[in-house]
Amino acid sequence: MGDEEQRAKEFDLRALDEIIKGTVEPAAADVDRTGAFPRAALDAFGQAGLLGLISSREVGGLGEAHRAAAQTVERVASACASTAMVLCMHYSAVAVIEAHGARPVREAIARGRHVTTLAFSEKGSRSHFWAPVGTATADEGEVRLDAEKSWVTSAGEADSYVWSSQPLEAEGQNTIWLVPADAQELSVPAPFDGLGLRGNNSAPVKAVGVTVPRENMLGADGGGFDVMMGVVLPYFQLMSAGFSVGTMEAATQKAAAHVAGTKFEHLGTSLADLPTVRANLARMRIKTDMCRALLGDAVTALEAGRDDTMLRVLEVKAAAGESATEVTDLAMRVCGGAAFRKEVGVERHFRDARAATVMAPTTDVLYDFIGKAVCGLPLFG
Ligand SMILES: Cc1cc2nc3c(=O)[nH]c(=O)nc-3n(C[C@H](O)[C@H](O)[C@H](O)COP(=O)(O)OP(=O)(O)OC[C@H]3O[C@@H](n4cnc5c(N)ncnc54)[C@H](O)[C@@H]3O)c2cc1C
């Protein structure tokens, strides 16, 4: 890639905003209503180089990292949370592929021709993603994978899955693989029909005897836990927080616009003239701004290698995820019965916001980790 082409592929928030306005927003209601996968948005992100946002420049990517990824997910979430979560899971998987994958797939991602995702959660170990029960066994020079993955965003739509299994031969908690999504032995047993994030295809994926070359191992055999904690966790936590902040921002703005513009004709006043309504809007604004500030600090801690980085990374998803359920609940309250219908637009944010609290590491697990960290106990064990 020449210098000029590379220069043209800078991370540009205006280009991102153009795609949001031109492609994501117009499709958002339909994605939510029908559960359609946001393919047009992904194509637009690919063409703009944004699927390669965190791919290194050496393979043709934009060479950005956590800050840009969290910012991108936040902006997209304010328009369409389903599209934002597809991006969040894509970047989480790209981080692993960038660290341990082969050059051709890294280049395909950077060129916008390859969408990927994480396939960690399983039917057997549920939200304890670090402990897969699915297996990897040596099979005539290749590796056979068997598993029942319980939730995979972009299931049946992504080009590859970053997949966890028990170790092949080594000691350790798990091993990570790159699994091509077109493998015959993979199936999506049931379509996704969720409360929120309806355009995500977050469906189960079953593998019965999928074979992959040993070179598809991402990292060391038995070393998956380190990849999950060292590579995936910071990206996922920060982007999940961005997702929640974007959702809160949109709900707060829509609620403010509704109360300012909605009249009691018999009194000649608006909903915004009610002190309780204003106080609840103030609480929404404060929570949103607090979470955005905490997210900024978490990213700064990570970039600076501060001692409190792990604590901030753990805190930020729990804080933003829980705040988003509170803020969107308040949005439903201040907008009254009107919020129950689609036209005010806040009921979708209320539904979408709930996912972050139960996506692993779930809020309750994070509280346990943070409590252990605060008490000076080991996080695992
Ligand atoms: C929209 C959506 C998209 C998703 N996308 C993906 C994806 O792309 N890839 C992927 O791998 N996974 C994905 N997941 C799965 C997600 O990460 C979790 O694994 C899943 O939501 C857990 O659901 P469960 O029913 O198995 O929870 P369970 O494990 O059954 O948990 C039930 C409750 O128990 C609590 N709990 C469990 N363990 C503990 C503990 N040790 N301490 C305290 N409380 C605990 C949980 O917090 C929760 O409240 C997705 C989930 C959703 C909702």
Side-chain angles (χ1 to χ4, degrees):
M1 175 173 295
D3 279 357
E4 213 159 294
E5 200 182 337
Q6 185 65 64
R7 262 199 303 278
K9 285 186 72 183
E10 298 294 332
F11 175 49
D12 179 356
L13 282 172
R14 278 168 312 177
L16 173 63
D17 287 341
E18 271 170 34
I19 297 174
I20 293 174
K21 283 249 163 315
T23 310
V24 178
E25 272 176 13
D30 196 47
V31 165
D32 182 48
R33 190 172 48 80
T34 65
F37 189 75
R39 179 57 64 186
L42 286 189
D43 289 346
F45 289 132
Q47 273 161 23
L50 287 165
L51 291 183
L53 178 70
I54 63 162
S55 302
S56 84
R57 285 170 177 264
E58 179 205 325
V59 294
L62 296 183
E64 296 288 341
H66 304 82
R67 186 176 293 276
Q71 226 170 15
T72 299
V73 171
E74 178 188 328
R75 286 190 180 222
V76 177
S78 65
C80 178
S82 289
T83 309
M85 190 52 73
V86 168
L87 272 185
C88 171
M89 300 318 291
H90 169 77
Y91 293 142
S92 297
V94 171
V96 181
I97 295 170
E98 273 297 288
H100 298 289
R103 193 172 175 106
V105 68
R106 294 174 61 207
E107 286 178 350
I109 291 167
R111 291 204 181 105
R113 296 191 192 132
H114 187 111
V115 175
T116 185
T117 189
L118 293 182
F120 285 176
S121 305
E122 295 193 358
K123 191 176 164 199
S125 49
R126 306 189 69 82
S127 56
H128 299 188
F129 61 87
W130 54 89
V133 296
T135 54
T137 41
D139 184 14
E140 296 179 3
E142 297 208 300
V143 176
R144 177 190 164 122
L145 299 171
D146 293 272
E148 287 189 66
K149 298 293 176 183
S150 51
W151 294 85
V152 181
T153 290
S154 310
E157 294 284 350
D159 299 289
S160 67
Y161 302 121
V162 169
W163 185 278
S164 55
S165 74
Q166 291 184 19
L168 180 62
E169 285 142 0
E171 295 290 314
Q173 231 163 352
N174 65 67
T175 299
I176 299 181
W177 308 90
L178 184 71
V179 175
D182 60 2
Q184 292 290 308
E185 303 79 6
L186 284 177
S187 60
V188 177
F192 178 61
D193 184 9
L195 171 75
L197 297 187
R198 291 181 46 74
N200 259 30
N201 283 40
S202 294
V205 173
K206 190 169 181 178
V208 182
V210 172
T211 46
V212 293
R214 210 187 158 101
E215 301 77 69
N216 280 29
M217 190 186 286
L218 298 170
D221 189 21
F225 183 78
D226 292 341
V227 176
M228 286 175 171
M229 293 301 138
V231 178
V232 179
L233 190 79
Y235 266 108
F236 177 70
Q237 294 280 112
L238 297 168
M239 288 188 290
S240 176
F243 165 89
S244 297
V245 169
T247 303
M248 283 187 263
E249 183 62 53
T252 303
Q253 285 188 19
K254 284 177 192 168
H258 178 77
V259 304
T262 304
K263 304 273 185 244
F264 292 110
E265 284 181 21
H266 63 299
L267 300 174
T269 61
S270 73
L271 285 174
D273 290 318
L274 293 169
T276 46
V277 164
R278 289 199 305 270
N280 280 331
L281 269 163
R283 289 166 67 196
M284 293 165 66
R285 187 70 264 161
I286 291 166
K287 290 254 173 189
T288 305
D289 291 343
M290 276 168 56
C291 290
R292 186 177 279 113
L294 184 63
L295 175 56
D297 188 60
V299 175
T300 301
L302 185 94
E303 289 170 348
R306 261 176 23 207
D307 290 347
D308 60 351
T309 300
M310 183 48 114
L311 184 62
R312 283 284 182 270
V313 163
L314 293 173
E315 284 172 345
V316 75
K317 173 176 179 284
E322 292 305 309
S323 298
T325 62
E326 291 170 36
V327 166
T328 54
D329 188 52
L330 284 170
M332 293 295 290
R333 180 188 292 229
V334 299
C335 295
F340 237 70
R341 294 198 296 251
K342 302 274 179 197
E343 71 252 21
V344 182
V346 297
E347 63 81 37
R348 178 179 177 185
H349 300 306
F350 174 77
R351 289 183 284 109
D352 289 333
R354 305 205 67 82
T357 67
V358 292
M359 288 185 76
T362 66
T363 300
D364 288 330
V365 166
L366 288 170
Y367 285 159
D368 190 38
F369 286 171
I370 294 161
K372 283 177 175 166
V374 169
C375 296
L377 299 171
L379 293 196
F380 290 88

